[in-house]
């Protein structure tokens, strides 16, 4: 007999999906069988982040004394494991004298924020809303 | 790479790409929306740039 009500995904699986989607951009979509979307996101978002580093963008520290710096740091972390890899390898110091410094920051911050949207989209797909 | 316009175009490309991928499922619709967003970013940048031109900073 065919089920009339769609199976609800388990919350543990959802948390794992969202974590994986955050850690490696696009993995959530690949997990859910959206291969083309997943592959494009897997390439595009880390590439945008690396480009931000290449043009002297800064990975902001978690500074509680300055709200905007803290928020920028939070957005940077949105890209997932790439952020931690870059930090461990010593990238992201930023060069405020570089012409491209602000562009670099925009690339880094927006790459992280776009990945947050990707996580939300993966969640929606898993919940059957899309 | 220090050209503002090239960096602006690259930025617009990435943002348009991700928005189009996330909001549409059909490849043709994704391409259409992506192109519209990209064009919108570029046109807006030029229009805002010219509007701000006479403002002394």
């Amino acid at each position: 007999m065919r089920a009339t009500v769609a199976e609800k995904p388990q919350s543990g699986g959802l948390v794992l999906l969202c974590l994986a989607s955050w850690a490696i951009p696009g993995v959530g979509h690949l997990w859910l069988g959206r291969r083309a979307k997943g592959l494009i996101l897997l390439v595009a978002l880390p590439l945008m982040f690396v480009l931000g580093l290449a043009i002297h963008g800064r990975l902001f520290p978690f500074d509680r004394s300055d709200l905007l710096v803290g928020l920028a740091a939070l957005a940077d972390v949105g890209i997932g494991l790439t952020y931690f890899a870059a930090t461990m390898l010593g990238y992201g110091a930023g060069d405020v004298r570089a012409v491209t410094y602000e562009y670099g920051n925009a690339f880094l911050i927006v790459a992280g924020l776009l990945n947050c949207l990707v996580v939300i989209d993966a969640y929606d797909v898993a919940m059957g809303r899309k | 790479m220090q050209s503002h316009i090239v960096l602006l175009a690259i930025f617009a490309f990435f943002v348009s790409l991700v928005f189009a991928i996330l909001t549409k499922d059909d490849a043709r619709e994704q391409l259409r929306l992506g192109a519209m967003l990209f064009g919108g970013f570029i046109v807006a940048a030029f229009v805002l740039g010219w509007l701000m031109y006479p403002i002394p900073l």
Side-chain angles (χ1 to χ4, degrees), chain A residues 34 37 40 44-45 47-48 51 55 99-100 103 106-107 110 114 117-118 121 130, chain B residues 1-5 7-8 10-11 14-15 17-19 21-25 30:
Chain A
R34 310 237 165 158
K37 281 190 181 192
I40 292 171
L45 288 176
L47 186 64
M48 189 178 181
L51 229 111
I55 56 174
V99 181
T100 54
Y103 270 105
F107 272 67
V110 173
L114 285 174
L117 282 181
V118 170
D121 189 69
K130 289 185 86 178
Chain B
M1 194 190 333
Q2 295 198 339
S3 162
H4 284 256
I5 190 70
L7 287 171
L8 184 147
I10 294 172
F11 181 85
F14 279 116
V15 176
L17 176 75
V18 175
F19 276 162
I21 290 284
L22 291 183
T23 52
K24 300 288 179 188
D25 286 325
Q30 286 173 345

Side-chain angles (χ1 to χ4, degrees), chain B residues 24-42:
Chain B
K24 300 288 179 188
D25 286 325
D26 179 58
R28 194 181 292 263
E29 284 181 8
Q30 286 173 345
L31 198 68
R32 192 163 172 264
L33 179 67
M36 277 176 61
L37 286 171
F38 181 75
F41 271 120
I42 301 293

Side-chain angles (χ1 to χ4, degrees), chain A residues 9 14 17-18 29 32 34 117-130, chain B residues 22:
Chain A
L14 273 177
L17 174 84
C18 290
H29 286 79
L32 296 166
R34 310 237 165 158
L117 282 181
V118 170
V119 174
I120 294 168
D121 189 69
Y123 177 82
D124 277 344
V125 172
M127 293 295 285
R129 293 178 187 149
K130 289 185 86 178
Chain B
L22 291 183

